[in-house]
Amino acid sequence: KQEVTQIPAALSVPEGENLVLNCSFTDSAIYNLQWFRQDPGKGLTSLLLIQSSQREQTSGRLNASLDKSSGRSTLYIAASQPGDSATYLCAVGVLSEKLVFGKGTKLTVNP
Amino acid sequence: DAGVIQSPRHEVTEMGQEVTLRCKPISGHNSLFWYRQTMMRGLELLIYFNNNVPIDDSGMPEDRFSAKMPNASFSTLKIQPSEPRDSAVYFCASRRGVVVGSYNEQFFGPGTRLTVL
């Protein structure tokens, strides 16, 4: 059974800092990995999707990497801003086409 | 595009009552997913449909839960009778492709916050 773990559960940084969020999964047989952002009381917004054949994806200040063999992904946020404060969820797409989610990392960027 | 639309946004009901949650996927998307989010268990997939057909309902917690997708633009999740432990945020998501292995990203609705008293 695929399990997804995100560490740390919460992170607080000063504005302008570069930061890395971590995601690990137990089964390397994945189709892809998706990073989401969730704001309080809101739905999930897709940030980046990495197919299993890819190593990384970039969008603006965000860069996500994927290492299937080690069961890890990282989300790098450059020059963090208070507007980046949210919960970041990692999800892996498995053989049955489901998404298995981690519990998320709650990020707070302090002005 | 309006995105995935869910209604109601908030629902408060009493134990034993029937609850119906509604979802309109993004036009042109062929797959629809229902998720439940709680503090304890995080986001869990309940059921998903491809081309209006239920493919996997193994995440549905018990017989009190049922889901239908009568057409490509509408789905319902029903709980009957509801219990306090059903209190959670229920999300609907849709995706364009259905071919296994060609996984496209899922787009989520704003969710329905259900409180069962």
Side-chain angles (χ1 to χ4, degrees):
Chain A
K1 178 184 175 184
Q2 179 74 266
E3 293 183 0
V4 180
T5 304
Q6 292 187 246
I7 294 174
L11 180 64
S12 182
V13 301
E15 182 177 3
E17 189 163 300
N18 301 325
L19 59 101
V20 174
L21 306 181
N22 297 295
C23 172
S24 62
F25 46 95
T26 55
D27 187 344
S28 62
I30 67 171
Y31 277 127
N32 55 33
L33 186 143
Q34 198 167 350
W35 282 94
F36 293 88
R37 167 186 173 138
Q38 185 174 26
D39 293 283
K42 302 286 181 63
L44 280 68
T45 301
S46 178
L47 297 173
L48 290 164
L49 171 68
I50 311 176
Q51 301 291 357
S52 62
S53 58
Q54 298 175 319
R55 299 281 296 183
E56 65 177 343
Q57 281 286 335
T58 298
S59 176
R61 294 183 294 108
L62 306 180
N63 176 275
S65 68
L66 174 63
D67 185 342
K68 277 180 56 179
S69 61
S70 66
R72 294 181 182 179
S73 176
T74 60
L75 178 65
Y76 174 82
I77 302 177
S80 59
Q81 304 170 358
D84 295 330
S85 298
T87 295
Y88 290 81
L89 294 160
C90 165
V92 298
V94 297
L95 291 173
S96 58
E97 301 195 81
K98 298 179 181 180
L99 276 179
V100 179
F101 281 84
K103 294 259 180 92
T105 294
K106 184 176 181 180
L107 173 66
T108 303
V109 181
N110 302 300
Chain B
D1 197 320
V4 176
I5 299 173
Q6 291 188 247
S7 63
R9 293 294 309 279
H10 302 274
E11 177 80 26
V12 180
T13 190
E14 293 187 347
M15 183 174 64
Q17 295 297 306
E18 176 181 302
V19 175
T20 299
L21 311 181
R22 298 172 176 79
C23 175
K24 175 179 170 57
I26 294 173
S27 177
H29 283 194
N30 304 108
S31 298
L32 183 140
F33 304 80
W34 282 101
Y35 292 88
R36 179 172 66 176
Q37 186 177 39
T38 62
M39 289 291 290
M40 287 293 293
R41 302 174 66 93
L43 258 169
E44 299 174 292
L45 178 67
L46 300 177
I47 184 171
Y48 77 94
F49 297 82
N50 281 349
N51 292 326
N52 312 336
V53 176
I55 301 301
D56 186 340
D57 65 355
S58 60
M60 297 286 260
E62 45 194 281
D63 291 345
R64 297 185 297 106
F65 286 70
S66 63
K68 294 182 179 179
M69 192 164 185
N71 57 62
S73 58
F74 184 66
S75 177
T76 59
L77 178 67
K78 183 179 293 186
I79 308 172
Q80 180 184 21
S82 58
E83 297 183 2
R85 59 194 169 116
D86 301 331
S87 297
V89 181
Y90 291 81
F91 289 102
C92 176
S94 70
R95 186 186 75 194
R96 184 180 305 279
V98 300
V99 178
V100 174
S102 63
Y103 204 107
N104 298 304
E105 62 185 308
Q106 293 186 20
F107 294 86
F108 280 70
T112 295
R113 182 173 295 276
L114 174 64
T115 302
V116 183
L117 303 175

